[in-house]
Amino acid sequence: MSLSVILENVVRTYNGETVLGPFTHTFEAGTTTLIMGPNGCGKSTLLRVCAMLEAPDAGSIRFTDAGNELQQDLALRRRMTLVFPKTTVFRGSVFDNAAYGLRIRGANAPFVSERVEEALVSVGLIHKVRQDARTLSSGESQRLGIARALALKPDVLFLDEPTASVDEEHTAFIEDLIMALDRQTATTIIMTTHDRHQAEKIAGRLVAMRRGVVVEDFCPLRNPSV
Ligand SMILES: Nc1ncnc2c1ncn2[C@@H]1O[C@H](COP(=O)(O)OP(=O)(O)OP(=O)(O)O)[C@@H](O)[C@H]1O
Ligand SMILES: [Mg+2]
């Protein structure tokens, strides 16, 4: 199970102003793509459109699995997860927060426990499992948002500046986690960052944007998997 996301001349406008596009790009199944570009250039908008949270105003977006085009329904939407830069923390424990997505999908308790514990270990939050999630620090909350997504094992993982408020040590931790996901799973990862060094370190492919369009698209040489 592996998804490609194919955009052709996708345009998104707000109040008559084009903030994205025309954007043409294929995010290949099982690859990691890093998106860079200045504030307001359309990175988060791109992620929301790709994750089916917003429809484009023009152009087409398609999703394929082993060459077969998929119907754009709830089942497809549930194969994708977007982690926002600021995690919404709900009332309840860290465990409950990380379990949220699995529980709304009706997963049974032992399955939820196994997935959530694995996800919390991978972001270095297992020692906080019983803590009230609203008392986490901002960096811990951001890692909780990543754990909530990882627990779902999505086929496409969108990460919007996942290390923006995370310290150096845990940033390295999250970067390692993303590189391991890249190597060991078929997950398609699409991530934004403002850190060029980070982008070149973990990207299979790096896309730079300006004013809603692609201005650079290459495979960084430093990536050992390329
Ligand atoms: N719902 C909205 N209504 C009106 N304008 C919007 C809306 N969402 C985004 N925009 C505008 O679209 C542009 C692109 O925003 P977007 O959040 O995609 O940028 P970004 O590249 O993610 O920036 P940053 O690096 O600051 O996160 C910005 O000018 C923003 O103000
Ligand atoms: Mg953004």
Side-chain angles (χ1 to χ4, degrees):
M1 302 279 269
S2 188
L3 280 180
S4 293
V5 184
I6 304 161
L7 287 84
E8 275 169 34
N9 292 315
V10 164
V11 174
R12 182 73 176 112
T13 61
Y14 295 116
N15 311 319
E17 190 195 337
T18 298
V19 301
L20 177 68
F23 197 98
T24 298
H25 188 82
T26 297
F27 297 99
E28 301 281 356
T31 63
T32 296
T33 306
L34 270 282
I35 314 279
M36 294 201 69
N39 292 143
C41 75
K43 302 178 300 297
S44 298
T45 304
L46 172 68
L47 261 46
R48 289 194 300 273
V49 169
C50 288
M52 289 171 65
L53 299 177
E54 287 181 22
D57 295 284
S60 76
I61 174 157
R62 294 182 299 121
F63 301 87
T64 62
D65 187 342
N68 300 314
E69 186 165 343
L70 303 170
Q71 210 177 328
Q72 296 186 25
D73 54 13
L74 180 63
L76 174 61
R77 195 183 294 199
R78 285 191 165 175
R79 292 176 64 181
M80 307 189 279
T81 305
L82 196 162
V83 179
F84 294 96
K86 282 211 168 61
T87 299
T88 307
V89 177
F90 310 109
R91 193 193 176 94
S93 65
V94 166
F95 183 94
D96 290 336
N97 269 265
Y100 178 78
L102 286 169
R103 283 179 175 157
I104 58 170
R105 283 161 168 78
N108 66 48
F111 182 79
V112 171
S113 289
E114 189 188 324
R115 282 283 191 88
V116 166
E117 279 163 25
E118 190 188 337
L120 289 174
V121 167
S122 68
V123 300
L125 272 184
I126 194 68
H127 61 299
K128 302 270 182 185
V129 64
R130 300 281 156 230
Q131 188 170 323
D132 180 339
R134 289 167 303 178
T135 63
L136 291 179
S137 73
S138 56
E140 288 168 348
S141 303
Q142 198 164 16
R143 280 149 54 205
L144 172 61
I146 297 169
R148 187 186 284 153
L150 291 176
L152 295 168
K153 296 200 188 231
D155 290 321
V156 188
L157 178 61
F158 298 98
L159 297 163
D160 198 354
E161 298 188 42
T163 58
S165 49
V166 176
D167 65 44
E168 226 172 284
E169 183 191 345
H170 288 100
T171 292
F173 210 75
I174 290 165
E175 289 170 350
D176 288 345
L177 182 72
I178 295 164
M179 290 189 283
L181 272 179
D182 188 25
R183 281 193 307 273
Q184 295 159 11
T185 72
T187 315
T188 307
I189 301 168
I190 305 170
M191 165 175 160
T192 68
T193 184
H194 286 289
D195 180 343
R196 182 128 198 146
H197 177 72
Q198 175 179 70
E200 291 186 352
K201 181 172 159 193
I202 66 181
R205 197 159 165 186
L206 201 161
V207 172
M209 295 173 65
R210 293 276 181 288
R211 297 197 179 117
V213 299
V214 177
V215 290
E216 249 187 297
D217 177 2
F218 65 101
C219 299
L221 290 173
R222 255 183 274 171
N223 189 326
S225 68
V226 176

